[in-house]
C-alpha cells in the first residue's frame, strides 16, 4: 500500500518530468553508491522487450568512475568510433547531396568534437554508467534501452542530480574490444551511456509546446 495520495503523486511526477533536463557540466562531488543503485533500480523497473529476449539476463549496468582505469580504456575507443563515424559521413556526404543536406548539422558537430579531442559527457561527471541490453528478435534493444534511460533520468532528477545522455555509446555494439571490457559476448548486446553528477548550475524547467497544440483528436 502506498502512503502518498494520487493527487500528490501526480503533482510530484509532473514536477520531476518538467525538471528533467540535459546537464552537460558537473561538479566533482561524488554521488553516493546508494543514489547510483537507486538510479539503476529505476532503470531495471523500466519496461523491457519480454517477447524479443529469452532468459533473465537481458539488462546489465556498468558503473565507471571519473579518472578510473576503465574510463581511461573506454575514452580512446569511443573517440575512435566518433572519428570513424565522422569520416564515413563526410565521404557519404561528398557522394550524395541529399546526405550532405540532411546531415550538415551533425557533420559539423562531429567535426567540432574531433577538434576538441574529448567526447562531451565521457569522463566529465563523477559517474558514467553504461547500460547493455541483450539483442533479440525483433531487434528492439535500443527502444528498450530508451525506456530504461528515461526512468534513470527521472530518478536522477528526483535525487537532485544532473544527467547527460551519451548516445555515441550506442554505436559501440560492433566494437569487439568494447564488449570484452564488460565481459559480454561481442555483437550480442546493445549499449547506451549516461553521465551523472551534481550539476554545476541548475537549469530551468523544460519548455515545450502545450499538449493541445500538438494533439489531434480524431473522430
Ligand atoms: C536519442 C537521443 C540521443 C541524445 N544524445 C545526446 C548526446 O549524445 N549528448 C547529449 O548531451 N544529449 C543528448 N540527447 C539529449 C538531447 O539533446 C536533449 O534531450 C534535447 O536537446 C532537449 O533538452 P532537455 O533534455 O534539456 O529537455 C539525446 C536525446 C535523445 C532523445
Amino acid at each position: 500500500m502506498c502512503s502518498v495520495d494520487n493527487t500528490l503523486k501526480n503533482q510530484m511526477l509532473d514536477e520531476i518530468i518538467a525538471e528533467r533536463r540535459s546537464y552537460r557540466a558537473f561538479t566533482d562531488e561524488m554521488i553516493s553508491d546508494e543514489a547510483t543503485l537507486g538510479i539503476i533500480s529505476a532503470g531495471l523497473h523500466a519496461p523491457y522487450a519480454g517477447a524479443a529476449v529469452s532468459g533473465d539476463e537481458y539488462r546489465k549496468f556498468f558503473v565507471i568512475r571519473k579518472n578510473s582505469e576503465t574510463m581511461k580504456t573506454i575514452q580512446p575507443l569511443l573517440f575512435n568510433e566518433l572519428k570513424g563515424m565522422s569520416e564515413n559521413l563526410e565521404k557519404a556526404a561528398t557522394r550524395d547531396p541529399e546526405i550532405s543536406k540532411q546531415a550538415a548539422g551533425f557533420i559539423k558537430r562531429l567535426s567540432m568534437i574531433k577538434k576538441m579531442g574529448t567526447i562531451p559527457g565521457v569522463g566529465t561527471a563523477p559517474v558514467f554508467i553504461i547500460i547493455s541490453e541483450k539483442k533479440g528478435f525483433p531487434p528492439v534493444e535500443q527502444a528498450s534501452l530508451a525506456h530504461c534511460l528515461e526512468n534513470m533520468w527521472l530518478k536522477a532528477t528526483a535525487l537532485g542530480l544532473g544527467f547527460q545522455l551519451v548516445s555515441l555509446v550506442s554505436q559501440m555494439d560492433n566494437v569487439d574490444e568494447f564488449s570484452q571490457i564488460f565481459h559480454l559476448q561481442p555483437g550480442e548486446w546493445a549499449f547506451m551511456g549516461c553521465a551523472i553528477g551534481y550539476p554545476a548550475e541548475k537549469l530551468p524547467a523544460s519548455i515545450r509546446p502545450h499538449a493541445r497544440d500538438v494533439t489531434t483528436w480524431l473522430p
Side-chain angles (χ1 to χ4, degrees), residues 20-24 109 120 153 164-168 192 203 206 208:
R20 182 220 53 82
R21 294 295 315 274
S22 291
Y23 280 92
R24 299 186 174 95
R109 181 165 161 71
W153 206 332
Q164 179 177 15
L165 208 55
V166 180
S167 49
L168 175 70
M192 186 47 96
L203 297 174
S206 61
R208 297 291 193 270

